[in-house]
Amino acid sequence: MASKNIAIYKASTDNEELNQIRSVLESKNDLSKVLEFEESMRTFIGAKYAVATATSTAAIHLALSAIKLKRGDKILMSVNSFVNLPEVVRHFDAEPIFIDINMEDMNIDINKFEEALAANDSKKLRGAIITFVAGQAPDLDRIYDIAKRYGIILIEDCRSSLGGTYKGKKIGNLRADMTIFSTNPSNSKYAISRSGVIVTNNEDIANRAKLLRTHALTTTYDSYGNLDYVYDVVDIGHKYDLSELDAAYALAQLNKTEKFIKRRKEIAKLYEKRLTGVKHIGIPSHNDEHIFTHFIIKVSRNRDAFARALKERGVSTGLNYIPLHLLSYYKTKYSIKITAFSNALNNYQQILSLPIYASLSDEDVNYVCDQVIDVASEWI
């Protein structure tokens, strides 16, 4: 029987979250935590506009609404992305175009990205969503130059990269049209709180996103945010605004972002120190700006059995991510062969994410390492 039970992710909370939420419940004024969160996010990133949403998936859907994505339009993305990216594209009856990955950092293969742009160059080619895997940025300078050359909209999927930098500059205030963040990088359906945010320097995009996130209503509100009895609707919108309680929690988490990153980097160093050179275990390369929202290892053979063995020892693991073309809907919808994206397939057969979050103790990290080393030593 396992002596410990270590989750793949746990929220790191303290009195700051409680105090922020209490301030909403006990509020005697009309100050908005949503507005405070947006202003804090805007300041933290250094961008002109921040538009808070109920979830990061809502933020991506709202971003595509803001650019007026239409039926048959094409959006490029890495095949190694979470399922919400192609999902929101399909909700517009638009077409996701999958791109293979590079084997070094598991981000989009930029050569193949450029090839796909050339192959799909038409009026229907609208843009690309670029995922930052595990919190590490791809070669953004090259991606920005290619996107500019083809005149496409560029959206950065940085749900796992809040607080990250690229060549010393904050991600989210670079050259993309929009960047999507989340203060909760976990995909758990039991998350304590959810929030997303669109960050942009484009005033038109920001204004349209703010309009559409609340049913495209044009009206006035009282000092407590209540809808005036006279209103109009000027477009097809959504109900994607962030609640005051979720904003309070998100604000507390945002205030500790740098602390979280520092701790995750410490954990990553400990993992690297103990697991480097372990038989059957590989650690993907990374640069100094990697913020390790996930810590990914590669198991040389029978990854699934390896994960089961760790689970029996009380260590939960994850996959970041299952390639999109292996999922039943997309495999069937687009008749994609399993071997269509060879790098992603090869990568997927080996990858395994280990627990990494700010509240994880050194004792727990060492326990995870002990189990990985022990299981690996018995591996045939």
Side-chain angles (χ1 to χ4, degrees):
M1 185 175 179
S3 61
K4 283 181 176 287
N5 186 11
I6 301 176
I8 185 66
Y9 175 80
K10 284 184 180 179
S12 303
T13 60
D14 55 29
N15 285 332
E16 187 166 356
E17 282 78 14
L18 294 175
N19 291 336
Q20 287 283 4
I21 291 171
R22 188 178 294 114
S23 71
V24 174
L25 297 176
E26 298 176 352
S27 178
K28 294 181 175 62
N29 56 48
D30 52 349
L31 295 177
S32 168
K33 285 295 177 185
V34 174
L35 294 179
E36 185 180 351
F37 170 60
E38 288 180 331
E39 177 61 21
S40 296
M41 179 64 78
R42 188 191 67 76
T43 301
F44 180 74
I45 299 299
K48 292 181 180 179
Y49 308 99
V51 183
T53 60
T55 66
S56 58
T57 300
I60 295 169
H61 195 280
L62 189 60
L64 296 179
S65 297
I67 66 170
K68 301 181 180 180
L69 194 70
K70 295 181 176 63
R71 181 180 184 180
D73 285 349
K74 297 180 180 182
I75 298 289
L76 277 64
M77 64 188 66
S78 169
V79 75
N80 189 39
S81 303
F82 190 53
V83 296
N84 61 347
L85 297 194
E87 177 183 75
V88 295
V89 172
R90 289 299 300 137
H91 278 305
F92 290 87
D93 203 13
E95 183 179 357
I97 305 294
F98 301 148
I99 312 297
D100 209 350
I101 64 170
N102 70 71
M103 294 296 288
E104 286 72 40
D105 62 10
M106 294 169 284
N107 279 314
I108 194 168
D109 184 315
I110 301 178
N111 289 330
K112 293 178 181 178
F113 172 62
E114 189 168 14
E115 290 171 5
L117 284 169
N120 291 276
D121 193 12
S122 70
K123 290 183 179 179
K124 288 293 186 179
L125 179 62
R126 293 298 309 284
I129 305 175
I130 304 297
T131 297
F132 293 31
V133 175
Q136 182 168 214
D139 184 350
L140 292 178
D141 288 333
R142 189 174 169 205
I143 289 173
Y144 294 149
D145 289 343
I146 293 170
K148 183 178 179 180
R149 191 184 331 137
Y150 281 90
I152 62 170
I153 298 289
L154 197 63
I155 301 172
E156 294 171 330
D157 169 28
C158 293
R159 291 165 299 132
S160 298
S161 300
L162 180 60
T165 58
Y166 178 75
K167 296 185 176 179
K169 296 181 180 179
K170 269 283 196 305
I171 292 170
N173 190 26
L174 299 169
R175 292 163 55 193
D177 295 280
M178 287 175 276
T179 303
I180 307 300
F181 289 111
S182 173
T183 53
N184 175 23
S186 170
N187 292 321
S188 171
K189 67 178 181 179
Y190 302 118
I192 293 175
S193 177
R194 303 183 190 279
S195 62
V197 61
I198 300 171
V199 171
T200 182
N201 288 321
N202 186 305
E203 183 178 10
D204 291 337
I205 286 176
N207 288 340
R208 182 164 169 78
K210 288 179 180 179
L211 171 70
L212 295 178
R213 72 174 168 180
T214 49
H215 305 302
L217 284 164
T218 57
T219 187
T220 57
Y221 297 86
D222 66 20
S223 59
Y224 294 96
N226 295 313
L227 185 68
D228 193 3
Y229 70 92
V230 176
Y231 59 85
D232 194 12
V233 171
V234 296
D235 207 328
I236 300 296
H238 315 284
K239 183 59 175 173
Y240 283 162
D241 53 326
L242 186 64
S243 75
E244 289 292 310
L245 288 173
D246 284 319
Y249 181 87
L251 186 59
Q253 292 278 291
L254 175 62
N255 291 338
K256 294 184 281 191
T257 297
E258 300 292 355
K259 176 183 175 183
F260 289 164
I261 292 173
K262 181 176 182 292
R263 176 56 187 156
R264 291 199 305 268
K265 286 187 172 183
E266 291 172 352
I267 293 170
K269 283 185 178 179
L270 184 50
Y271 273 141
E272 285 187 295
K273 179 181 179 181
R274 294 213 51 202
L275 299 181
T276 297
V278 173
K279 188 177 181 181
H280 302 304
I281 302 298
I283 299 175
S285 62
H286 61 83
N287 58 40
D288 292 337
E289 292 182 294
H290 198 323
I291 63 172
F292 294 103
T293 314
H294 308 295
F295 189 88
I296 299 173
I297 63 173
K298 290 189 174 183
V299 182
S300 63
R301 63 184 70 174
N302 206 343
R303 185 272 322 278
D304 293 341
F306 198 97
R308 286 194 296 271
L310 289 179
K311 185 69 173 178
E312 291 171 359
R313 295 162 178 258
V315 178
S316 296
T317 56
L319 294 177
N320 300 101
Y321 301 99
I322 299 175
L324 297 170
H325 76 296
L326 300 183
L327 304 176
S328 295
Y329 174 82
Y330 300 101
K331 180 170 60 177
T332 303
K333 174 70 177 177
Y334 297 110
S335 301
I336 305 175
K337 294 182 179 179
I338 291 177
T339 56
F341 303 96
S342 57
N343 286 350
L345 178 62
N346 184 44
N347 182 70
Y348 166 66
Q349 292 171 333
Q350 301 179 64
I351 59 169
L352 199 62
S353 292
L354 300 180
I356 187 165
Y357 40 92
S359 61
L360 197 64
S361 67
D362 281 1
E363 178 185 345
D364 287 343
V365 176
N366 278 310
Y367 179 82
V368 173
C369 291
D370 289 342
Q371 306 317 306
V372 170
I373 292 168
D374 198 28
V375 173
S377 69
E378 302 172 356
W379 225 235
I380 299 174

